[in-house]
Amino acid sequence: MKPFKIPESVLVVIYTPALDVLLIERADAENFWQSVTGSKDRLDEPLVETAVREVFEETGIRVANGSPVPAAALSDWQHEIQYNIYPRWAHRYAPGVTRNTEHWFGLCVPENTAVTLSPREHVAYAWLPWEAAAARCFSPSNGDAIRQLPLRVR
């Protein structure tokens, strides 16, 4: 049996200099479009490490110095929210855990950055202008994060 998820996660808004935003569609929830998200693997895992790992696992984009997407392209927005865990995913957490703390990051990637989805997690992706991306998100807080993008990069 898999260990319970840690109720602390990252949300990474991946965008281009033109402010086109990458959204990915979950495999386990039809028409559930979102940014990259994921929980810490261990309690002491730095949030930046969680963000870099999740971006690579979910999109194949490697964030590393010497790659087309250097570490400096990832920015911690120093913003966190708490939300109620959706009932459909509550079984992944320890009994009694009902809320998750999510930390927001931005990742600026070059135009035409290749995306390779993890098929067990996501079935489709789309690059959309930030307003359209925010409107397509299933999660209201994910839409809120994307709507902050123009303020965060200027």
Side-chain angles (χ1 to χ4, degrees):
M1 184 170 148
K2 287 175 74 170
F4 290 120
K5 287 181 71 149
I6 296 169
E8 188 170 15
S9 65
V10 298
L11 178 138
V12 184
V13 176
I14 300 175
Y15 63 95
T16 68
L19 302 188
D20 288 330
V21 172
L22 176 65
L23 289 185
I24 49 184
E25 184 181 15
R26 292 183 68 109
D28 63 358
E30 187 177 352
N31 214 24
F32 188 116
W33 290 87
Q34 66 180 103
S35 294
V36 166
T37 62
S39 296
K40 287 179 156 189
D41 272 354
R42 57 183 204 282
L43 288 172
D44 66 346
E45 181 178 44
L47 293 167
V48 168
E49 187 177 316
T50 306
V52 168
R53 175 177 47 75
E54 288 295 335
V55 165
F56 182 71
E57 287 176 1
E58 295 186 9
T59 68
I61 298 170
R62 185 173 302 282
V63 178
N65 292 332
S67 81
V69 183
L74 180 69
S75 59
D76 183 343
W77 287 0
Q78 300 293 313
H79 184 86
E80 70 179 49
I81 62 162
Q82 285 202 339
Y83 63 85
N84 291 326
I85 295 165
Y86 287 102
R88 72 185 306 159
W89 292 300
H91 67 278
R92 296 177 178 176
Y93 297 86
V97 173
T98 61
R99 296 191 49 85
N100 184 73
T101 300
E102 180 178 79
H103 304 268
W104 292 357
F105 287 78
L107 178 64
C108 186
V109 301
E111 301 284 341
N112 303 313
T113 294
V115 174
T116 305
L117 297 176
S118 170
R120 65 179 186 78
E121 288 193 67
H122 297 96
V123 296
Y125 71 90
W127 289 99
L128 299 169
W130 68 269
E131 300 101 326
R136 187 179 286 190
C137 288
F138 179 86
S139 160
S141 61
N142 194 163
D144 290 345
I146 293 170
R147 279 186 281 281
Q148 287 190 17
L149 181 61
L151 304 172
R152 298 240 177 219
V153 300
R154 300 283 182 239

